Amino acid sequence: KEVVWAALERGALEPQPTIDAIARAFPEGLQLVAFLEHPVAAVRRAALAPATESGDPEALAHLQGLTDDPDTELAQAASTAVERVARTLPPLRFELLGGFDVARGSWRVGKAWERPVDARLVRFLLVNLDREVPEDLLFEALWPELSGSRARSSLQVAASRARRVLDPPGAERSVIESAGRRYRLALGERDVVDADPFRSAAEAGLAETGERRAPLLEHARSLWGGEPLPEERYSDWAAGYRERLVDRYTAVLAALVAVREDSGEHAHAAEVARELVDLDPVNEGGHRALITAYARAGRTGHALRQYLECRRALVEQLGVEPAEETSRLQARILAGEPV
């Protein structure tokens, strides 16, 4: 970047073609944000549109300053862009499945949080989305070791820092609202939490009973990005939220195993059942489904080893033996009977 910057400053490269080439190479636009501070006005003008379309808050902050740029053409373009961005700013996307992150267009928060507790505050409000959360609950979850007054001060500071990350410059309202010592996450109409499309798809697939059941269940499965909020694996306040999502995914997998078995797709059923067992090693129904799928696919050895794996998990983790239904299944396989 430094070489291109210097070449543009010397006039060795033409601004518009150079910026266009960078935009084609990096269509997300994030690499062009720095060029909004280039000393050559023509470079700033060329970088204006692709940089601001990236959704990067730094680019949006630059945009406000460029409305007073000495270059009148650039100042006018920036003013027009401010009006356009207000209408077309990419929505926020909150990612909870497989790990927490927030994105807007091509821009991702990543490690931009000033303090880890700022991200935890947002996660807490996401778990309680569209509810007004009394500050006492936030104190208990995030600052249990502090007195009420110190916890309140910490909450206010964390909320302010989080707003600087989530709210675009010049926003008329904040994503994090507070009033009467209550806080809530107020998402826009186009903002999305990745767990919501998964949950909707899961409900649609589980409710379907006809020939569309399998593709709907597969669609829900494809939207599962992994463990919900793994960052809060040991937080009591996130436990119910995480468990409900995992339960939905477990139901989707179990239903999909049954559908694939009914259609004679034993190898596919075994693949899904293995995912179910990996998700919950003490899900005995998942083990039975996998044992059955292996047996029907002619993989008797795999089926019998899976029974041993099931028994070991139940004994070591729960202190119980497999249910009679599971033991009978093993006996039938040992006897060479169809299952």
Side-chain angles (χ1 to χ4, degrees):
K1 185 177 71 175
E2 291 79 5
V3 174
V4 175
W5 181 287
L8 286 166
E9 191 170 0
R10 293 196 311 271
L13 293 174
E14 289 293 326
Q16 193 65 59
T18 302
I19 295 299
D20 288 347
I22 296 173
R24 287 194 298 272
F26 304 98
E28 65 275 10
L30 297 174
Q31 285 74 14
L32 292 171
V33 174
F35 287 94
L36 294 175
E37 296 185 282
H38 197 276
V40 177
V43 175
R44 300 197 297 275
R45 286 198 302 271
L48 182 64
T52 54
E53 288 170 4
S54 70
D56 189 327
E58 185 179 348
L60 302 178
H62 280 311
L63 186 59
Q64 296 288 338
L66 290 175
T67 59
D68 296 321
D69 196 272
D71 183 89
T72 55
E73 184 178 348
L74 176 57
Q76 180 58 50
S79 297
T80 302
V82 167
E83 298 174 1
R84 184 181 68 249
V85 165
R87 300 189 304 271
T88 63
L89 189 67
L92 283 170
R93 176 179 173 82
F94 294 87
E95 299 174 2
L96 310 184
L97 301 176
F100 176 67
D101 204 355
V102 184
R104 187 192 292 280
S106 304
W107 168 78
R108 305 181 75 83
V109 174
K111 298 180 180 180
W113 302 103
E114 293 184 46
R115 298 287 188 275
V117 73
D118 306 344
R120 292 200 75 204
L121 171 60
V122 174
R123 291 197 289 268
F124 187 98
L125 294 176
L126 280 166
V127 167
N128 296 277
L129 190 59
D130 293 329
R131 303 175 195 163
E132 291 187 340
V133 181
E135 62 178 20
D136 288 348
L137 294 183
L138 288 161
F139 298 165
E140 182 180 347
L142 305 180
W143 294 278
E145 74 286 357
L146 299 183
S147 65
S149 59
R150 292 183 61 199
R152 182 171 297 111
S153 176
S154 295
L155 170 58
Q156 291 169 349
V157 172
S160 178
R161 289 194 302 251
R163 288 183 180 112
R164 287 200 294 269
V165 172
L166 299 178
D167 297 342
E172 295 181 358
R173 52 179 291 274
S174 176
V175 175
I176 299 178
E177 295 182 345
S178 59
R181 295 191 175 181
R182 291 173 176 269
Y183 286 75
R184 69 186 289 262
L185 201 64
L187 303 189
E189 292 182 0
R190 297 185 300 132
D191 296 336
V192 65
V193 180
D194 66 350
D196 292 341
F198 161 73
R199 190 184 292 107
S200 297
E203 296 301 334
L206 293 169
E208 176 63 43
T209 57
E211 60 182 19
R212 296 182 64 246
R213 183 172 174 83
L216 286 175
L217 290 170
E218 287 288 6
H219 175 59
R221 181 187 178 200
S222 73
L223 295 177
W224 181 259
E227 179 187 354
L229 291 178
E231 299 85 355
E232 304 298 345
R233 188 174 296 146
Y234 306 110
S235 298
D236 291 343
W237 54 264
Y241 182 87
R242 284 163 37 85
E243 288 170 3
R244 286 190 294 273
L245 283 171
V246 171
D247 287 348
R248 283 294 82 190
Y249 190 50
T250 299
V252 166
L253 294 178
L256 195 52
V257 170
V259 168
R260 295 309 181 192
E261 282 292 353
D262 289 345
S263 61
E265 300 174 78
H266 305 309
H268 194 168
E271 174 193 329
V272 180
R274 167 53 65 188
E275 189 175 348
L276 180 57
V277 169
D278 289 344
L279 181 68
D280 182 6
V282 294
N283 184 322
E284 193 171 353
H287 282 284
R288 278 198 302 272
L290 185 53
I291 293 167
T292 301
Y294 280 148
R296 289 176 177 173
R299 302 168 71 181
T300 304
H302 283 74
L304 294 173
R305 282 195 294 272
Q306 190 61 42
Y307 172 81
L308 296 177
E309 182 181 324
C310 171
R311 182 180 183 277
R312 181 167 54 252
L314 292 172
V315 170
E316 292 180 355
Q317 297 188 41
L318 301 180
V320 299
E321 290 286 341
E324 183 179 351
E325 182 181 356
T326 309
S327 298
R328 284 201 307 268
L329 177 61
Q330 182 215 25
R332 292 175 64 186
I333 294 171
L334 285 170
E337 298 176 6
V339 298

